[in-house]
Amino acid sequence: MRIAVIEDNETLANAIAYRLRDRGHAADVLHDGDEADAFLARDGADLVVLDINLPGRSGLEVLRGIRARGDGSPVILLTARSDTSDRVAGLDMGADDYLVKPFEMDELEARIRALSRRKDLDYGARESFGALEFDRATRQVMERGTALDIPRRELAVLECLLERRGRIVPKSQLTDHVYGTGADVDDTAVEPHVSRLRRRLADHGVSIKTARGLGYMLEVKG
């Protein structure tokens, strides 16, 4: 998934992002409420980890903006122990869960997995393309019930292209999805992942077209 981590404590935010990336997710790190609201309105996220106390607009204001736009992405609030009223307000406003600081990373991961399963039920756990199926719950590509061995960064490329099937996806957008917005990597870093994924899919009725200077597009034969 592409997860937005919105937390003004840079050490904590980077620790969360490191753990998420290690588990195969793309993590976008933001430290300011105004910046976060603009980012989510523009790019969105599959899931949001949101601190309540932020510079600029508060986490609750960011949450209000998410729901006002009709965005149903799961939101986990991060709160201090004394913020009971804010937790209640956040849940009433549409947050899906909350964690009280300090917390264990294992618990955050477990809550993310639970919300991910709930989202998969909402949007359909499997998507067919060509002779293949993508199982969103397990993040596996299946052919007639057998999982193909595809590395996690190639899977991230596939997820991004599938979500925008039939449209050109800019290379920068793929790079952000794979590595997270603000990651210290050049857009060319995604090229070998696209190339290897293209070869894996070629025999299954699926191709990845290159639009020079624009990006890539997933096409299904027939």
Side-chain angles (χ1 to χ4, degrees), residues 161-206:
L161 292 174
L162 269 176
E163 288 172 3
R164 300 155 182 82
R165 181 161 38 169
R167 291 179 287 162
I168 294 173
V169 181
K171 191 182 296 183
S172 60
Q173 192 169 355
L174 273 177
T175 303
D176 286 347
H177 189 86
V178 173
Y179 293 98
T181 299
D184 188 20
V185 295
D186 189 83
D187 287 348
T188 57
V190 80
E191 292 175 0
H193 303 309
V194 172
S195 179
R196 287 192 288 268
L197 180 63
R198 178 185 283 129
R199 291 196 296 269
R200 293 180 196 277
L201 299 178
D203 294 334
H204 303 282
V206 182

Side-chain angles (χ1 to χ4, degrees), residues 81-123:
R81 290 192 181 278
S82 59
D83 289 343
T84 303
S85 60
D86 284 343
R87 291 199 293 274
V88 172
L91 292 170
D92 286 343
M93 203 177 293
D96 298 271
D97 202 351
Y98 69 86
L99 271 174
V100 176
K101 299 184 211 178
F103 54 84
E104 297 292 334
M105 289 293 181
D106 287 345
E107 183 176 4
L108 175 61
E109 279 191 74
R111 290 171 186 254
I112 288 172
R113 286 194 297 271
L115 290 175
S116 175
R117 287 193 294 270
R118 188 185 308 172
K119 185 180 180 186
D120 289 334
L121 289 174
D122 291 340
Y123 291 98

Side-chain angles (χ1 to χ4, degrees), residues 35-99:
E35 177 188 10
D37 184 71
F39 172 83
L40 293 172
R42 182 183 67 248
D43 295 329
D46 296 317
L47 186 143
V48 180
V49 178
L50 176 62
D51 184 30
I52 284 183
N53 297 307
L54 294 170
R57 67 188 67 194
S58 71
L60 292 180
E61 290 174 309
V62 173
L63 174 61
R64 184 179 293 112
I66 292 171
R67 297 302 183 234
R69 290 188 291 271
D71 184 346
S73 299
V75 175
I76 300 176
L77 294 178
L78 303 182
T79 77
R81 290 192 181 278
S82 59
D83 289 343
T84 303
S85 60
D86 284 343
R87 291 199 293 274
V88 172
L91 292 170
D92 286 343
M93 203 177 293
D96 298 271
D97 202 351
Y98 69 86
L99 271 174

